[in-house]
Amino acid sequence: MFERVLSFLKDLPSGGSRAHAGEDDPHIAAAALLYHVMNADGVRQDVEWERFKTILGETYAVRGRELEDLADAGEKADNEAIDLYAFTSVLKRHLDPEARKAFIGLMWDIVYADGELHELEDNTVWRVAELLDVERVDRVAAKRAAAAKAPGSESKTGDE
């Protein structure tokens, strides 16, 4: 099923060059949200940056310059944003419920890339999940799955 969701995400329209795409580009919206959660705790670790780029590359089948452009566009969009709704509204229009759940799983993968859960990261994923209408049970299941794969997976998830 995960492969089906990744296939769906790859097929999303990109709106032209990612470096100059409009605000309605779902690839940039996704990159911005993934970038945002990576920086939620105020510390961008190399392992998180590499996981961010790996997720973008695998999800959207991009490499090299195109991957760098997408990562840069996501960073720029996040830095210029005033809220998360601008990005979640784009994804909500373009993703079905299963793909939205899978996207929350990708966010958790970035959160746990460094093997730690920070309360600001947890809160960010919670807010994005709420805006995407992803149910609590699905958000928590994705969190547990990501935590189980994380370095030092014996760490607690801090489920509410």
Side-chain angles (χ1 to χ4, degrees):
M1 179 178 88
F2 188 67
E3 289 77 24
R4 184 175 65 96
V5 172
L6 285 179
S7 175
F8 179 78
L9 289 170
K10 288 176 188 176
D11 292 338
L12 287 173
S14 67
S17 170
R18 297 197 204 309
H20 305 292
E23 294 177 5
D24 200 39
D25 184 335
H27 293 140
I28 293 176
L33 288 169
L34 294 171
Y35 182 87
H36 187 82
V37 77
M38 177 181 62
N39 285 322
D41 63 359
V43 179
R44 181 171 91 181
Q45 296 182 28
D46 290 342
V47 67
E48 293 171 317
W49 179 250
E50 289 306 314
R51 186 68 187 134
F52 167 71
K53 287 179 30 179
T54 298
I55 286 173
L56 289 179
E58 290 174 355
T59 302
Y60 298 116
V62 295
R63 290 175 186 32
R65 184 75 243 151
E66 192 175 4
L67 175 58
E68 295 302 322
D69 287 348
L70 180 56
D72 291 346
E75 179 178 6
K76 181 179 184 216
D78 180 54
N79 289 335
E80 293 175 355
I82 54 174
D83 62 16
L84 299 175
Y85 180 78
F87 307 127
T88 58
S89 64
V90 171
L91 292 184
K92 197 168 175 185
R93 282 193 306 273
H94 290 279
L95 301 178
D96 67 19
E98 289 303 311
R100 285 184 253 153
K101 288 181 210 176
F103 181 77
I104 295 302
L106 296 176
M107 292 187 80
W108 284 124
D109 284 348
I110 289 176
V111 166
Y112 282 105
D114 63 358
E116 298 178 21
L117 172 65
H118 190 279
E119 67 185 79
L120 292 173
E121 295 167 330
D122 189 53
N123 182 265
T124 297
V125 178
W126 171 79
R127 288 186 294 145
V128 170
E130 289 288 313
L131 290 167
L132 290 177
D133 288 333
V134 173
E135 298 289 329
R136 178 187 180 277
V137 66
D138 297 318
R139 175 176 44 88
V140 171
K143 180 180 185 179
R144 287 182 177 148
K149 296 184 298 186
S153 62
E154 67 280 350
S155 63
K156 297 179 182 173
T157 61
D159 292 337
E160 53 284 353

